[in-house]
PDB file of all heavy atoms in Angstrom:
ATOM      1  N   LEU A1470      -3.100 -14.889 -17.779  1.00 97.00           N
ATOM      2  CA  LEU A1470      -3.557 -14.801 -19.258  1.00 97.00           C
ATOM      3  C   LEU A1470      -3.185 -13.445 -19.753  1.00 97.00           C
ATOM      4  O   LEU A1470      -2.820 -13.249 -20.922  1.00 97.00           O
ATOM      5  CB  LEU A1470      -5.017 -15.079 -19.321  1.00 97.00           C
ATOM      6  CG  LEU A1470      -5.441 -16.483 -18.824  1.00 97.00           C
ATOM      7  CD1 LEU A1470      -6.947 -16.679 -19.102  1.00 97.00           C
ATOM      8  CD2 LEU A1470      -4.686 -17.605 -19.363  1.00 97.00           C
ATOM      9  N   GLY A1471      -3.481 -12.381 -18.966  1.00 96.00           N
ATOM     10  CA  GLY A1471      -3.189 -11.027 -19.412  1.00 96.00           C
ATOM     11  C   GLY A1471      -3.388 -10.001 -18.252  1.00 96.00           C
ATOM     12  O   GLY A1471      -4.074 -10.300 -17.281  1.00 96.00           O
ATOM     13  N   GLU A1472      -2.961  -8.814 -18.581  1.00 96.00           N
ATOM     14  CA  GLU A1472      -3.084  -7.803 -17.536  1.00 96.00           C
ATOM     15  C   GLU A1472      -3.584  -6.496 -18.297  1.00 96.00           C
ATOM     16  O   GLU A1472      -3.063  -6.269 -19.373  1.00 96.00           O
ATOM     17  CB  GLU A1472      -1.692  -7.605 -16.812  1.00 96.00           C
ATOM     18  CG  GLU A1472      -1.948  -6.573 -15.636  1.00 96.00           C
ATOM     19  CD  GLU A1472      -0.580  -6.494 -14.816  1.00 96.00           C
ATOM     20  OE1 GLU A1472       0.320  -7.301 -15.040  1.00 96.00           O
ATOM     21  OE2 GLU A1472      -0.547  -5.657 -13.880  1.00 96.00           O
ATOM     22  N   ARG A1473      -4.462  -5.736 -17.692  1.00 95.00           N
ATOM     23  CA  ARG A1473      -5.153  -4.650 -18.365  1.00 95.00           C
ATOM     24  C   ARG A1473      -5.422  -3.540 -17.378  1.00 95.00           C
ATOM     25  O   ARG A1473      -5.887  -3.730 -16.287  1.00 95.00           O
ATOM     26  CB  ARG A1473      -6.358  -5.176 -18.991  1.00 95.00           C
ATOM     27  CG  ARG A1473      -7.304  -4.182 -19.800  1.00 95.00           C
ATOM     28  CD  ARG A1473      -6.729  -4.102 -21.120  1.00 95.00           C
ATOM     29  NE  ARG A1473      -7.546  -3.329 -22.013  1.00 95.00           N
ATOM     30  CZ  ARG A1473      -7.217  -2.867 -23.270  1.00 95.00           C
ATOM     31  NH1 ARG A1473      -6.006  -3.191 -23.777  1.00 95.00           N
ATOM     32  NH2 ARG A1473      -8.156  -2.267 -24.036  1.00 95.00           N
ATOM     33  N   GLU A1474      -5.194  -2.229 -17.863  1.00 96.00           N
ATOM     34  CA  GLU A1474      -5.658  -1.062 -17.151  1.00 96.00           C
ATOM     35  C   GLU A1474      -6.783  -0.656 -18.005  1.00 96.00           C
ATOM     36  O   GLU A1474      -6.587  -0.160 -19.123  1.00 96.00           O
ATOM     37  CB  GLU A1474      -4.620  -0.132 -16.926  1.00 96.00           C
ATOM     38  CG  GLU A1474      -5.009   0.992 -16.047  1.00 96.00           C
ATOM     39  CD  GLU A1474      -3.901   2.005 -15.749  1.00 96.00           C
ATOM     40  OE1 GLU A1474      -3.297   2.640 -16.692  1.00 96.00           O
ATOM     41  OE2 GLU A1474      -3.598   2.135 -14.521  1.00 96.00           O
ATOM     42  N   ILE A1475      -7.888  -0.484 -17.322  1.00 96.00           N
ATOM     43  CA  ILE A1475      -9.141  -0.032 -18.004  1.00 96.00           C
ATOM     44  C   ILE A1475      -9.659   1.318 -17.645  1.00 96.00           C
ATOM     45  O   ILE A1475      -9.650   1.552 -16.262  1.00 96.00           O
ATOM     46  CB  ILE A1475     -10.309  -1.128 -17.688  1.00 96.00           C
ATOM     47  CG1 ILE A1475      -9.805  -2.523 -18.084  1.00 96.00           C
ATOM     48  CG2 ILE A1475     -11.474  -0.735 -18.481  1.00 96.00           C
ATOM     49  CD1 ILE A1475     -10.692  -3.590 -17.268  1.00 96.00           C
ATOM     50  N   GLN A1476      -9.878   2.183 -18.546  1.00 97.00           N
ATOM     51  CA  GLN A1476     -10.377   3.538 -18.163  1.00 97.00           C
ATOM     52  C   GLN A1476     -11.930   3.488 -18.257  1.00 97.00           C
ATOM     53  O   GLN A1476     -12.531   3.099 -19.287  1.00 97.00           O
ATOM     54  CB  GLN A1476      -9.830   4.456 -19.221  1.00 97.00           C
ATOM     55  CG  GLN A1476     -10.389   5.924 -18.969  1.00 97.00           C
ATOM     56  CD  GLN A1476      -9.887   6.979 -19.964  1.00 97.00           C
ATOM     57  OE1 GLN A1476      -8.805   6.846 -20.469  1.00 97.00           O
ATOM     58  NE2 GLN A1476     -10.673   7.961 -20.292  1.00 97.00           N
ATOM     59  N   ILE A1477     -12.524   4.017 -17.177  1.00 96.00           N
ATOM     60  CA  ILE A1477     -13.925   3.997 -17.121  1.00 96.00           C
ATOM     61  C   ILE A1477     -14.393   5.468 -16.766  1.00 96.00           C
ATOM     62  O   ILE A1477     -13.896   5.971 -15.726  1.00 96.00           O
ATOM     63  CB  ILE A1477     -14.672   3.058 -16.088  1.00 96.00           C
ATOM     64  CG1 ILE A1477     -14.122   1.619 -16.328  1.00 96.00           C
ATOM     65  CG2 ILE A1477     -16.037   3.110 -16.056  1.00 96.00           C
ATOM     66  CD1 ILE A1477     -14.470   0.599 -15.325  1.00 96.00           C
ATOM     67  N   ASP A1478     -15.159   6.213 -17.555  1.00 97.00           N
ATOM     68  CA  ASP A1478     -15.609   7.497 -17.325  1.00 97.00           C
ATOM     69  C   ASP A1478     -17.159   7.453 -16.867  1.00 97.00           C
ATOM     70  O   ASP A1478     -17.971   6.814 -17.505  1.00 97.00           O
ATOM     71  CB  ASP A1478     -15.575   8.316 -18.567  1.00 97.00           C
ATOM     72  CG  ASP A1478     -14.150   8.217 -19.256  1.00 97.00           C
ATOM     73  OD1 ASP A1478     -13.231   8.300 -18.439  1.00 97.00           O
ATOM     74  OD2 ASP A1478     -13.958   8.233 -20.403  1.00 97.00           O
ATOM     75  N   VAL A1479     -17.295   8.093 -15.693  1.00 96.00           N
ATOM     76  CA  VAL A1479     -18.564   8.080 -15.046  1.00 96.00           C
ATOM     77  C   VAL A1479     -19.109   9.451 -14.741  1.00 96.00           C
ATOM     78  O   VAL A1479     -18.335  10.284 -14.216  1.00 96.00           O
ATOM     79  CB  VAL A1479     -18.490   7.288 -13.728  1.00 96.00           C
ATOM     80  CG1 VAL A1479     -19.860   7.281 -13.037  1.00 96.00           C
ATOM     81  CG2 VAL A1479     -18.071   5.852 -14.067  1.00 96.00           C
TER      82      VAL A1479
END
Side-chain angles (χ1 to χ4, degrees):
L1470 304 182
E1472 189 169 354
R1473 181 84 168 170
E1474 185 174 61
I1475 307 161
Q1476 176 183 333
I1477 303 174
D1478 302 325
V1479 179

